[in-house]
Amino acid sequence: MFPTSVSLSGLLWKTPWKLSPTRKANARARLRRVDAVIEAVRSSGVQCAALDRALQLPKQHEMHPRDKYTIFSAMSQGYRKGIHKVPKWTRLTLRVNPKGF
C-alpha cells in the first residue's frame, strides 16, 4: 500500500513529530527489559564478544532523556531526530551517539 495525497481522499501516513508520553514510557520499559536480559546473561557466566559490547552500552537509568528519545542524524536540522522516525527502531540498539552529540 502506497501513501497517497489527502486531496485524492487517500491514506496519508502521518508520523507525529514527537513521542507521546505513552510511547515514551513504552520505550523506557523496552530499554529496561533489554538491560534485564543483558544482566541475566552476564550473571549466567557466558562469555562472548556480543556480551562484551552490550556491557559497554549505557543502562536506561544512566541515559540522558535526549538520548533515549532522539538519535543523531546528519541530515536533520539540529542534527537530531525522533527515535520513532527510524525504521524498525524498536529492534535496534540506538543507545550510543557519535562523540559530541
Side-chain angles (χ1 to χ4, degrees):
M1 182 175 284
F2 297 100
T4 55
S5 176
V6 174
S7 63
L8 299 174
S9 70
L11 173 69
L12 179 67
W13 291 345
K14 293 186 177 182
T15 305
W17 67 279
K18 68 177 187 174
L19 286 171
S20 68
T22 305
R23 290 182 79 183
K24 281 185 178 183
N26 289 341
R28 287 190 304 272
R30 191 177 299 112
L31 288 170
R32 282 192 300 269
R33 286 195 305 265
V34 170
D35 290 342
V37 169
I38 292 170
E39 181 58 30
V41 173
R42 187 196 63 77
S43 65
S44 71
V46 174
Q47 293 292 327
C48 63
L51 179 60
D52 295 338
R53 284 192 307 269
L55 289 172
Q56 293 175 354
L57 295 173
K59 296 194 180 319
Q60 184 267 338
H61 62 86
E62 298 170 346
M63 294 174 69
H64 192 272
R66 179 185 65 198
D67 293 333
K68 289 181 196 178
Y69 311 123
T70 63
I71 62 160
F72 172 78
S73 173
M75 301 298 173
S76 298
Q77 186 177 10
Y79 299 106
R80 289 212 163 254
K81 70 178 181 180
I83 198 166
H84 63 293
K85 304 254 184 194
V86 178
K88 298 181 174 64
W89 68 278
T90 58
R91 301 182 211 170
L92 300 174
T93 301
L94 302 170
R95 296 186 189 216
V96 179
N97 292 299
K99 288 190 176 186
F101 290 93

